C-alpha cells in the first residue's frame, strides 16, 4: 500500500474565520490602546493618576470600534475570496 507524501496531499489554505478575526481585532485594539496611553504619557505613570478615565475610555472605545466594524460588515465577508466590489461596498 502506497502512502501519500506531502507533495501529493491536498494543500489547505490557512485563514481565520470571522469569529477569530473579531477576537484578534479585540486583542489588538486593547494592546494598541494601552500602548497609546503609555506613549502619550511617556511611561506607565498614567496607571496611578489616570486609571479611572483610562478604564472608562477603554470600556467605551473598544466596543464602539468593534460595533462600527461589525455594522459596516467587516466580519460578514470571507476576505480570502473578497473582490474589489466587496471593498467598494464598505467604502
Amino acid at each position: 500500500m502506497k502512502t501519500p507524501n506531502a507533495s501529493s496531499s491536498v494543500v489547505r489554505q490557512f485563514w481565520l474565520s470571522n469569529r477569530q478575526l473579531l477576537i484578534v481585532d479585540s486583542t489588538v485594539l486593547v494592546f494598541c490602546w494601552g500602548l497609546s496611553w503609555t506613549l502619550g504619557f511617556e511611561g506607565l505613570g498614567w496607571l496611578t493618576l489616570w486609571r479611572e478615565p483610562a478604564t472608562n475610555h477603554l470600556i467605551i472605545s473598544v466596543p464602539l470600534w468593534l460595533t462600527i466594524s461589525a455594522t459596516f460588515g467587516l466580519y460578514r465577508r470571507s476576505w480570502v475570496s473578497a473582490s474589489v466590489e466587496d471593498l467598494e461596498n464598505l467604502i
Side-chain angles (χ1 to χ4, degrees), residues 5-77:
N5 59 15
S7 63
S8 67
S9 64
V10 176
V11 177
R12 290 201 279 168
Q13 290 182 337
F14 174 75
W15 191 251
L16 298 174
S17 70
N18 291 339
R19 180 174 293 168
Q20 291 168 331
L21 283 174
L22 179 67
I23 292 169
V24 168
D25 279 353
S26 302
T27 305
V28 169
L29 280 171
V30 170
F31 174 76
C32 289
W33 172 86
L35 182 64
S36 66
W37 273 79
T38 302
L39 292 175
F41 285 99
E42 297 179 354
L44 295 174
W46 63 271
L47 285 173
T48 57
L49 298 173
W50 292 85
R51 181 175 296 237
E52 186 176 343
T55 304
N56 292 338
H57 182 254
L58 175 68
I59 290 171
I60 292 171
S61 64
V62 171
L64 180 65
W65 178 260
L66 294 173
T67 302
I68 291 170
S69 297
T71 301
F72 281 101
L74 291 177
Y75 304 114
R76 281 185 277 169
R77 306 218 189 290

